[in-house]
Amino acid sequence: EDQVTQSPEALRLQEGESSSLNCSYTVSGLRGLFWYRQDPGKGPEFLFTLYSAGEEKEKERLKATLTKKESFLHITAPKPEDSATYLCAVQPISGGSYIPTFGRGTSLIVHP
Amino acid sequence: ETGVTQTPRHLVMGMTNKKSLKCEQHLGHNAMYWYKQSAKKPLELMFVYNFKEQTENNSVPSRFSPECPNSSHLFLHLHTLQPEDSALYLCASSPGQGAATNEKLFFGSGTQLSVL
């Protein structure tokens, strides 16, 4: 069974204080790992897709990396507007289903 | 505007009521999804439609009844719900499932449902 575990559950940072969010996964074969951002009262918004170990993608202050067992979302010099819940999801490559499995998310609060 | 519109944004209903949630996507996608999001829980997949055909029913109770009249519209009909069904119901779309696709999902803003 595919499993996705995100840590920490919640994270509070001061503005400018860099940190990382973790997504550990267990899947028989990985087609893709997705990161989403969700603001309160809104649906998740797509950030990145990673396909293979060693791959990295960047967008503004965010950088996502991938190994065979986990992914990190690095946040460099965060700003208050980066406050949101960050969701990780994995899409299996086998089993006949292409439905992503989501983690519980990390709630990030960045204080000014 | 994400291209996926859900109505209503908020809904309060009694356990004996019948109501419907509506989702419309303007992205030309062929797959549409219903997810349930409860506090402290991962997103729970409920239903998937691919080219108007239901391809996934994730053991959802029959008090939830989906309808997909075309690739752009998706409904979730609700009847005799329980208080534990209170949650954020999210609709999503994607280009369409297939062996070569990586299904990035586009979500609506959701309907916050409260069952009294």
Side-chain angles (χ1 to χ4, degrees), chain B residues 50-99:
Chain B
N50 200 26
F51 293 91
K52 299 190 298 178
E53 298 296 321
Q54 188 179 122
T55 57
E56 295 276 345
N57 178 337
N58 200 22
S59 303
V60 180
S62 60
R63 56 186 184 269
F64 295 92
S65 175
E67 179 189 0
C68 187
N70 55 61
S71 293
S72 298
H73 293 86
L74 185 65
F75 296 89
L76 187 62
H77 303 299
L78 315 171
H79 63 98
T80 60
L81 293 191
Q82 304 298 311
E84 59 264 30
D85 295 322
S86 299
L88 180 67
Y89 289 84
L90 290 163
C91 173
S93 71
S94 67
Q97 293 190 354

Side-chain angles (χ1 to χ4, degrees), chain A residues 9 31-32 34 36 38 41-46 49 51 87 91 96-100 102-104, chain B residues 9 33 35 37 40-43 45 48 56 88 90 97-99 101-105 107-109:
Chain A
E9 184 177 321
R31 178 176 297 280
F34 304 86
Y36 291 85
Q38 186 174 20
K42 294 189 176 182
E45 179 182 353
F46 171 79
T49 307
Y51 300 104
L87 301 173
Q91 184 182 15
S97 172
Y98 304 95
I99 306 297
F102 281 83
R104 295 173 187 263
Chain B
R9 289 298 310 276
Y33 308 71
Y35 279 91
Q37 188 173 39
K40 305 293 186 181
K41 289 186 176 181
L43 282 171
L45 178 69
V48 181
E56 295 276 345
L88 180 67
L90 290 163
Q97 293 190 354
T101 61
N102 293 286
E103 291 300 308
K104 176 173 72 175
L105 299 175
F107 287 88
S109 293

Side-chain angles (χ1 to χ4, degrees), chain A residues 50-69:
Chain A
L50 301 167
Y51 300 104
S52 58
E55 187 175 4
E56 299 183 352
K57 289 196 176 173
E58 291 188 62
K59 179 180 180 180
E60 296 181 357
R61 295 175 292 281
L62 301 177
K63 183 169 80 172
T65 62
L66 182 64
T67 72
K68 290 185 178 180
K69 296 291 186 184

Side-chain angles (χ1 to χ4, degrees), chain A residues 1-28:
Chain A
E1 182 180 328
D2 302 334
Q3 289 191 335
V4 181
T5 303
Q6 291 189 247
S7 62
E9 184 177 321
L11 181 63
R12 291 177 179 269
L13 299 174
Q14 288 298 125
E15 185 172 1
E17 179 186 3
S18 301
S19 187
S20 297
L21 282 54
N22 177 264
C23 172
S24 297
Y25 64 91
T26 303
V27 65
S28 55

Side-chain angles (χ1 to χ4, degrees), chain A residues 80-99:
Chain A
E81 53 261 43
D82 295 320
S83 298
T85 295
Y86 291 86
L87 301 173
C88 171
V90 296
Q91 184 182 15
I93 200 168
S94 61
S97 172
Y98 304 95
I99 306 297

